[in-house]
Structure formats: structure tokens, C-alpha cells
Amino acid sequence: MNGPGDPPRDPPQRPAGLIGRKPGDRRVRVDRPRAAYFRYEGPGVLVARAKASEPTTPLGKTLARIRRGLLGRPLASEEEIGERLSKRKALAIFSSDAISSSAYATEEILRVLVLAGAAALTFSLGIAIAIAIMLAVVSTSYRQIGYAYPNGGGAYAVGKANLGRYAALIAAAALLVDYIMTVAVSTSSGVEQITSALPSLSPFNIEIGVLAVGIITLGNLRGIRESGNLFAIPTYLFVGSALLMVVLGVVRIVFQGAGGPPPNPLPAAPVHDTVATVGVLLLLRAFAAGSVALTGTEAIANGVTAFKPRPSEAHNAAQTLTAMAVLLAVLFVGITFVAHHFGVVAVDDPATGKVQQTVVAQVASLVYGPDSPGFYLFQVFTALILFLAANTSFNAFPRLAAILAQDGYMPRHFAFRGDRLAFTLGILLLGGISAGVLLLFRGETTALIPLYSVGVFVSFTISQGGMVRHWRATREAGWRKRMGINAVGCALTGVVSVVVLVAKSPESLLVAVIIPTLVALMLFIHHEYESQAQELEVRPDAVIGPPHREERVVIPVPGLTRAVVTAVNFGRSISDNVVCVHITDDLEAGERVRARFERQLPGVPVVIVESPFRSLVNPFVAYLDVTYTDPSVVTIVVLPEYVGRHWWDRVLYNQVTNRLRQALVGRPHTVIATIPYRRGS
Amino acid sequence: MLPFAPMPDSQPAVTVKRVVLGLSGGSADPLVVRLGCQLVRGQRAELIGVHVVEVDWSHDLSEDISSGNELAAAILDHAEGAAEDFGATLQTSLLQARHPGAALVDEAVALGADIIVLGLPYRTRFGGDFAIGRTVPYVFQNAPCRVLVAREQMPVENRPLAPLGDRVGASA
């Protein structure tokens, strides 16, 4: 049985009949060579089987085996899982990003406040409550998006539908940046949870972070589905253990009077010592730092279609979104409350400057007991949910990139699914950039935070603004109230965007540069695709007639070989005007070639081009330039090519042919045809 | 949508190692595939779909008349796809023979099949008697293994009337 790429089969021999049990009974088994590669689907329609996509060369087969070992067997499109999620599973799947931010949001607030001294730390709880209120507003606004866009209301989609492409592209660019930052921040924070429990690993935090990103990337290339149980377990373990920690901490503080002042002296050098000197800017910076807790809030509104349809996808998504917001608010405010009363502040290693023990790890240590199983388990759960949060970006980023590619704003390769139904290029790009960001910022969460959440609030603002336009345009029942909610959300997130940008400057300004740069790049790509589409368009009313241009065939020949004969015969089959061109630095040898052609291939003119400078390619191209100047004539350059059997044959043969091909690609009115001659044919 | 009512999912009643499905390309083929898939469910059994192209005496038997035959390919490929929908793997075999029944029995014997499953579309001869054809009787009479025949549902207009006493409104 032969497949595509294999040598042609010998003419089929008549199969011998098989003798039946009764005299005279005979049957013949019919070989169906096509059946292994294609399945008949209907008249003129064949479906390629997996075997048809398999490589045929030994090198290709080896690479495919390695890829299969790493990534798993290729999946057919129909194998894509279309499972609808229950609210419980969806909460775990879509909320890991948002809920996990409670593991580092408190720490970021305290890191800013500690600069103003111990007294400033009292503001941490108020800031946490303010952020929780903002979370309530944003989640209420996003509930409405879920109802209005049950097919998935990402900021890009909402912006495109209501505010035009520029707003949509700004939202898309902001989200792309933020997905990268989510991976970097979640991974670095996850690693810090590990090193908080095992300080001896602290010097290797960058390596562990990059390794974690590599593993998540590889897992996603294998097509890890956000399958319910796998994702639900770590999320609920973290939520359960964190809630227990908060409850135990509150009980001890309220009923047992536990707690204590912050360490004296504070680990960070205070610049001020009294509450009176805590400026508005410092509070705004703390607020901006803690607002990272809101990242990931939009995930549920983006994935409404994944919910079960009863009573409706939007209803289930809205309930899940509320549950997520409540959980996040309780955990965030609760952890901040306990940390504040226990006098916990972020502690860095004075020698390395790296995080010694995270705030949430210190709270766990105080509540569960240092070196207790409860502490270590909590750290494991926290690290797991943080890595899981990084993984959600690996789902969102490639999908957004694919949507942008389909709309022509990113290279089309981003819309292609790989063997495992995953958007391979988007996953690789996200993994590569995130690992680079981790390396650049030495895997330190605090160093990454200023770049984080700017994009989120920009996309929040655009989607809320888009919703205001949506309600005004549709005027559905209760549109005034709904528009009011989204308008409040838009105004609030818009203000917070500016606050975050200013408060986290100058680092955050980098994002303010990256986002417009990305928008400009996407517009450039779109312009290129549009131009190409216009150039290649065939008008629907156009009727294409038969070709009427004259064709001439030119064949560069090194001598008379079987490969050349095959190429000449091909050339003669498509045109009567065939010329062989022999470039040589030895005129006498050239004349011998011509004589041989006249003797063995009569009727095929041979032009000898003497090249005293021994160059082969340029004289041939120059010959084409000077001899065929009529644009109404198509020049077909037929290149004889010897096809070897081994990979090293590529090194030994066809070097001139390859150079000629490269020199001729793009030449106007020129077609290049490569005629392979297989060894043994 | 399959043209028959779903069968209850049940554990296999018989242990089989190899089941041969006789595929004619008729409307009963989906029923045959489904029955075959149910037979092998939960067992490490092979499912082999056989389609026999009948060669008349104007052609030599060994003449290749079916390898490029789209209809034969369609019959086997559709059966294979239907089996995949039921979660089973169907191997296919295309035969040429003078008598489809004999070829089917001989192939089943050669493969060591435990059961042959055949489909029988409900067809009447000129609108009159039920026509069973010649393949099913031949396989019934000659197959050394068990034979299952799944007959298509009878059209409503052809269903025999219930006995007089069972009819609604019949008087004693």
C-alpha cells in the first residue's frame, strides 16, 4: 500500500481468487489503497485520516515520534470537548485567576504602606474594603455583559460591536499585555509561596519560575482542557483552607484577643513616621497596588457559552460571577484583616533582597502554626492555585490572538490549531514572553506588579463604555438601570485606570507605551492583509476565460542527463517555444554539450552563455532579462532537480537549482517549475 | 438521525471474538452496524464489515471493477463512521464474488467469525409478497456460526391487521 509522497505503485496485478467451501465458490479481496488515507464522505468529498497527515520521510517520522511523545497523539477536530460546565466547576475554572490574587494583593498594599511607617499600616484594611467595593461594582457591571453577550463578551468583542475598532484594539492590546503579566505574576507569586515554605529554594526562584512556565506551556501544547475536576480540586482546596485560615484568625483576634504590633524596626526603611504624613498619593499607590485583586474578574463574562443552558447560560454565569466576587472579597478583606491585627508585613531577605516569606505565608504560619502540616498544605494549595491562574491565561491569550488573527489584526498562523487542537503559536508566544519577563524581573512579584493591572482596568473601562452604548442603542427592558450600572462601572474603572497608571509610574508607563505600539502593529498587519485581499480579489461577476498569453520555456541545463531530459520533455509538453541555456566558462565544453543535444534531443535549441567570471545564477537571470522583455509573454523556467534518497543528498545536490529558484522568485511574468527526477525512475 | 428507534443499552448476551457484518449498502446497514457494536461492547472483539460486489458472468471475477467504485467505498466508509459514533472500531473488507451469500459465509469462515449480522430491508415484490432475497436464506442455511438478521421496521400501510377480537370497537 502506498501513500502520498511514496513512489508510484506498480500497475495493480490481478488478485488471485480465494476458494470457497463449496465447489465453484470463489471470491476476490479488493485492495483499497485509498482507504487507509481517506474516507469517502460524499460525492467529490474525501476526509483525510490521520495517516494522510503523517510524514513520509524518515526524518519527519522521527520528529513526529518525538512530538507525539512530548505532546501526545494528534486529535481530530471532532474530538474537541464541548462539555458544558456546572456552576460549581465553572467557578473553579474561571475564578482561579481572580481568587488567587488574594494571595498577593494584601502584600502589595502593605509593601506600599510600610514605606510610611507602622501607623500607615492601619490603612490597609480600609484600602482593602475600598477595593472590595470596586470589585462589587465591576462584577455587577460584568453580570450585565454576560446577559447582553451570551456568546462571550470579551472587552474586544464588546468594544468592536459598540465603540469601533480602535477602542476594540486598545482593549485587545491591553488584555494581551495583561495575560502575559498574569502568567508572570502568578508564577512568580506561586514560586514565592514555595520558597516561603522551603527557604533553601529561594536562590533558585527564577529557575523554578521559568521551569513552571515551561511545564504549563508544554501542558497546554498537549491540549490540557480546563477539565472540571482537575481544576476544581486545587481551587476549592485553596478556597477552603484560606477561608478556614481567615475564620480561625478572626476567632483568635475577636474572642481570644490574639494579635500584635508590627515588627520594630519595620523591615523596610520608613520615610515617615506618623499618620499625618501619609499622603494621598501614598494611599492611592497602595490602592493601585492592591487593585491587582480585580484581575481575572472578566473571565466569567468571556466564557458564558461554557455554562449549562438551564435556566440560561447568562443566568448561571451571573450567579457564578456573584459567588466569585463574594469569595474573593471575603478572602481578600479577611486576609488583610488578620494580617493587620497580627502585625504582619512583607519580609525580604536582607542579603538577597528577595522575598523571605510572603504575607499570606506569614498569616498561615501564625494561624496554623509554623512548620505545621496545615501551614505546608496551605502553601502547596496556594502555589497550585497560582500556577492554575497562570494556566487560565494560556487559555485566554491564544483564543484572543486567534480571534484577532481571524479579524486580520494578527498573523493568520495564530488562528491555526495544532495537532492537539490547541492554538500552538499563541501558546508558544505567551510562554516565551512570560518566561522572558520573569527573567527580566528576576522572578520578583513586587517588581512585576507595577506593570500589572493597568491593562485590566483599560479593558474594563472599554467594555463598560461599550455596554453603555449597547444599552442606549438597544433600549431593552430596564435599559436605563442597566446603563446606569455600566456607566458607574465605566467611570470608576476609568478613574482607577488613570490612578493605577499614575500611581505605579514610572514603571507602568512602559505598559502605556506597549499598548499603543501593539495597536499600531495590529493596524499595520490589518492594512497589509486588506491590501493583499484587494489585490488578489476576483470580482464575483467576473467570468474567467481561457489563458491567452504566449508562453516560453527556458531550461538551465548543466549537460545532458536524465533529469534534464525529463525537464525538457515537460517543457515541450506545455509550449513549442523551448530553449535550453547552458552557462559555462569553457566554451569548448559548451559546444560539446550543444552537439550532444543536437544528436540526442533534436529540435531543442541550446544557447551557450559563456561566463568568464564563473558565475552561474546571475548570467542566467541576466539572459532572461535581456531576451524576454515582452510582458505579454510568460516565461516558464523549468528547473531539473535530482531527488536523492537521504537527507545528506540535500547537501550534495541541487545547490545551483536552489540558488536559481531563490533568484527567480518574485520575478515578474515568470513561473518557476521544478521537475524532480527520482533516483531509479 | 438513525432511521430506527434506539435499542436499550444492555450487557452483551453472548461472548464473541469476531463479528462479521454483511453490508449491502441498503437502508438496514445502520441497524446492522449498531447491532454489531452492541454485540462487541465491553468485549475485546473484532468487528469486520464486509461488502460483496456481485460480478456478473460478463466479467472475469478477478477483473478489478470495485477498487475505484465510489459506491463500495461509500458503503464501507459510512459503516466505519457509524461504528466510530458508537465507540467501536470497524475493519472493512471489500470482496468481489458471483454470489454475495457464498462469499460472505466463506469470508466469515476464513476469519473465524462467531456471528454474522445481516440487515434485511422490508421490501415487497411488486407491492405484494415480502421479498427476502437470496443472500439471507443462503447464509441461514450455510453459515456454520450464529446468524443475526435485523429486519427493518415494516411500513404502517403493510402491517397486518390485528385479529378481529383485538380491534377497537369490535363486537362479539
Side-chain angles (χ1 to χ4, degrees):
Chain A
M1 196 170 286
N2 69 319
D6 289 353
R9 285 154 48 89
D10 294 332
Q13 294 178 340
R14 288 189 171 188
L18 299 163
I19 306 297
R21 298 192 314 154
K22 290 189 176 180
D25 282 350
R26 278 175 62 222
R27 67 192 189 286
V28 172
R29 279 211 189 100
V30 182
D31 185 26
R32 291 201 302 143
R34 204 176 67 178
Y37 297 93
F38 297 99
R39 176 189 288 173
Y40 180 90
E41 191 65 23
V45 182
L46 297 174
V47 178
R49 295 177 192 264
K51 198 172 173 62
S53 303
E54 285 175 4
T56 50
T57 60
L59 181 65
K61 284 177 183 172
T62 308
L63 289 174
R65 263 195 295 273
I66 294 169
R67 202 169 55 197
R68 198 172 300 142
L70 281 171
L71 306 179
R73 71 172 178 87
L75 296 173
S77 300
E78 63 199 23
E79 290 180 77
E80 185 168 27
I81 297 166
E83 186 193 5
R84 294 296 188 103
L85 300 169
S86 66
K87 283 182 276 188
R88 205 171 302 161
K89 282 186 181 175
L91 178 67
I93 288 167
F94 289 119
S95 306
S96 57
D97 181 10
I99 290 176
S100 66
S101 51
S102 64
Y104 51 81
T106 303
E107 176 159 344
E108 296 309 318
I109 295 173
L110 294 176
R111 277 185 180 276
V112 176
L113 292 177
V114 80
L115 297 173
L121 297 174
T122 52
F123 289 101
S124 62
L125 192 59
I127 289 169
I129 291 170
I131 291 170
I133 291 168
M134 194 168 65
L135 172 66
V137 174
V138 170
S139 57
T140 308
S141 303
Y142 265 104
R143 275 176 65 103
Q144 312 229 100
I145 293 183
Y147 281 111
Y149 289 91
N151 293 327
Y156 174 70
V158 177
K160 196 172 107 179
N162 300 294
L163 299 174
R165 71 168 180 170
Y166 292 107
L169 289 179
I170 291 169
L175 281 173
L176 289 177
V177 171
D178 226 74
Y179 290 140
I180 293 166
M181 293 311 298
T182 299
V183 176
V185 169
S186 299
T187 308
S188 65
S189 182
V191 174
E192 282 170 1
Q193 304 306 326
I194 294 171
T195 54
S196 294
L198 302 166
S200 57
L201 292 176
S202 185
F204 307 107
N205 69 325
I206 300 174
E207 291 83 351
I208 298 171
V210 172
L211 182 69
V213 170
I215 291 170
I216 296 169
T217 305
L218 193 63
N220 279 277
L221 288 175
R222 283 186 71 96
I224 283 183
R225 291 281 168 276
E226 291 183 325
S227 56
N229 295 335
L230 183 70
F231 277 58
I233 293 168
T235 306
Y236 281 112
L237 284 173
F238 171 78
V239 169
S241 56
L243 279 176
L244 180 67
M245 181 180 77
V246 169
V247 170
L248 289 175
V250 171
V251 166
R252 282 197 203 162
I253 292 162
V254 175
F255 297 105
Q256 299 170 1
N264 191 12
L266 285 169
V271 290
H272 301 291
D273 206 18
T274 61
V275 179
T277 56
V278 177
V280 175
L281 189 62
L282 191 82
L283 290 178
L284 285 177
R285 281 188 63 194
F287 177 83
S291 63
V292 290
L294 268 72
T295 54
T297 313
E298 77 288 354
I300 291 176
N302 292 352
V304 178
T305 48
F307 284 81
K308 288 194 170 172
R310 287 183 188 168
S312 75
E313 288 97 340
H315 178 78
N316 290 332
Q319 285 194 336
T320 311
L321 182 55
T322 304
M324 183 205 74
V326 169
L327 269 177
L328 174 56
V330 168
L331 285 177
F332 176 45
V333 175
I335 290 170
T336 310
F337 176 82
V338 177
H340 170 62
H341 280 85
F342 279 116
V344 172
V345 289
V347 180
D348 291 342
D349 188 341
T352 61
K354 290 178 179 174
V355 174
Q356 195 170 36
Q357 200 167 37
T358 60
V359 165
V360 78
Q362 291 179 63
V363 172
S365 172
L366 288 164
V367 172
Y368 291 122
D371 297 330
S372 65
F375 166 71
Y376 285 111
L377 279 175
F378 178 76
Q379 289 305 107
V380 170
F381 300 155
T382 311
L384 274 178
I385 195 175
L386 283 163
F387 291 139
L388 212 58
N391 191 60
T392 51
S393 282
F394 274 90
N395 188 40
F397 181 98
R399 278 180 190 282
L400 179 58
I403 292 168
L404 288 167
Q406 281 163 6
D407 289 352
Y409 291 107
M410 282 186 80
R412 288 183 184 134
H413 305 316
F414 282 93
F416 296 151
R417 286 171 184 259
D419 285 350
R420 302 284 297 177
L421 294 173
F423 294 108
T424 310
L425 196 57
I427 291 170
L428 285 172
L429 185 71
L430 177 62
I433 296 178
S434 308
V437 170
L438 272 177
L439 284 169
L440 199 64
F441 289 85
R442 302 177 311 282
E444 290 174 20
T445 308
T446 308
L448 290 163
I449 287 291
L451 304 181
Y452 197 24
S453 76
V454 177
V456 171
F457 282 101
V458 170
S459 66
F460 282 173
T461 309
I462 289 171
S463 58
Q464 306 300 324
M467 286 308 295
V468 172
R469 289 282 295 270
H470 170 84
W471 297 125
R472 273 193 66 187
T474 60
R475 295 180 183 252
E476 295 169 17
W479 68 277
R480 285 178 200 280
K481 184 183 143 198
R482 293 169 192 271
M483 192 176 77
I485 292 170
N486 282 125
V488 171
C490 177
L492 194 62
T493 51
V495 169
V496 175
S497 303
V498 178
V499 168
V500 170
L501 192 65
V502 173
K504 292 184 176 181
S505 63
E507 295 92 332
S508 60
L509 295 178
L510 183 61
V511 178
V513 172
I514 291 172
I515 291 174
T517 307
L518 274 177
V519 170
L521 186 65
M522 288 191 277
L523 286 170
F524 171 75
I525 291 169
H526 191 257
H527 175 259
E528 287 298 305
Y529 278 138
E530 285 284 295
S531 309
Q532 182 235 24
Q534 278 177 8
E535 210 171 301
L536 295 181
E537 189 195 7
V538 176
R539 283 204 328 271
D541 56 333
V543 178
I544 316 295
H548 51 79
R549 291 178 74 180
E550 199 181 331
E551 291 160 345
R552 302 179 187 209
V553 174
V554 184
I555 308 169
V557 291
L560 188 57
T561 65
R562 289 188 183 188
V564 167
V565 171
T566 311
V568 169
N569 284 341
F570 171 78
R572 289 164 108 179
S573 71
I574 54 175
S575 174
D576 295 330
N577 190 349
V578 178
V579 175
C580 292
V581 178
H582 178 69
I583 315 278
T584 180
D585 58 348
D586 182 351
L587 203 54
E588 284 181 15
E591 287 302 336
R592 283 198 295 275
V593 169
R594 191 210 299 272
R596 200 170 166 205
F597 264 77
E598 283 171 355
R599 183 162 45 87
Q600 292 187 276
L601 266 176
V604 179
V606 177
V607 175
I608 310 290
V609 176
E610 189 181 2
S611 172
F613 303 102
R614 296 164 303 284
S615 171
L616 293 173
V617 175
N618 289 341
F620 180 75
V621 177
Y623 171 80
L624 293 180
D625 290 343
V626 297
T627 53
Y628 299 116
T629 52
D630 185 357
S632 66
V633 177
V634 177
T635 303
I636 301 173
V637 179
V638 176
L639 300 174
E641 187 176 71
Y642 175 77
V643 181
R645 287 182 181 168
H646 311 289
W647 63 268
W648 59 81
D649 290 334
R650 291 182 195 172
V651 182
L652 299 177
Y653 309 109
N654 302 318
Q655 298 305 320
V656 175
T657 307
N658 292 337
R659 281 163 54 204
L660 273 172
R661 194 183 297 119
Q662 281 172 6
L664 293 171
V665 166
R667 190 177 183 275
H669 315 297
T670 306
V671 175
I672 308 164
T674 304
I675 306 302
Y677 178 83
R678 287 176 181 277
R679 181 187 276 186
S681 63
Chain B
M1 183 72 76
L2 294 169
F4 50 83
M7 293 183 186
D9 288 338
S10 58
Q11 289 299 313
V14 288
T15 306
V16 289
K17 284 186 179 170
R18 202 163 284 124
V19 176
V20 165
L21 310 180
L23 301 166
S24 65
S27 54
D29 274 3
L31 188 60
V32 171
V33 174
R34 186 182 169 97
L35 196 57
C37 292
Q38 285 189 331
L39 282 169
V40 299
R41 181 179 293 166
Q43 305 187 56
R44 283 189 175 181
E46 283 181 62
L47 203 56
I48 301 149
V50 178
H51 175 63
V52 185
V53 175
E54 191 172 345
V55 181
D56 62 32
W57 290 97
S58 63
H59 292 92
D60 191 277
L61 187 59
S62 59
E63 200 173 313
D64 183 9
I65 59 170
S66 34
S67 66
N69 184 343
E70 283 208 339
L71 181 64
I75 291 167
L76 293 173
D77 287 351
H78 282 155
E80 198 182 333
E84 275 175 19
D85 291 343
F86 293 124
T89 304
L90 178 76
Q91 297 170 44
T92 55
S93 177
L94 180 60
L95 302 177
Q96 287 182 184
R98 303 280 184 217
H99 190 309
L104 199 57
V105 170
D106 290 337
E107 186 72 359
V109 171
L111 292 168
D114 306 297
I115 294 184
I116 299 174
V117 183
L118 295 170
L120 182 58
Y122 184 82
R123 234 180 350 227
T124 53
R125 191 181 286 118
F126 308 117
D129 292 341
F130 171 61
I132 197 167
R134 60 184 185 126
T135 303
V136 172
Y138 183 92
V139 176
F140 267 148
Q141 287 166 14
N142 294 282
C145 58
R146 278 172 287 194
V147 178
L148 284 179
V149 176
R151 200 211 66 191
E152 242 183 358
Q153 204 169 10
M154 191 185 287
V156 176
E157 63 273 15
N158 288 17
R159 286 181 189 168
L161 293 172
L164 200 59
D166 295 343
R167 290 188 208 169
V168 176
S171 56

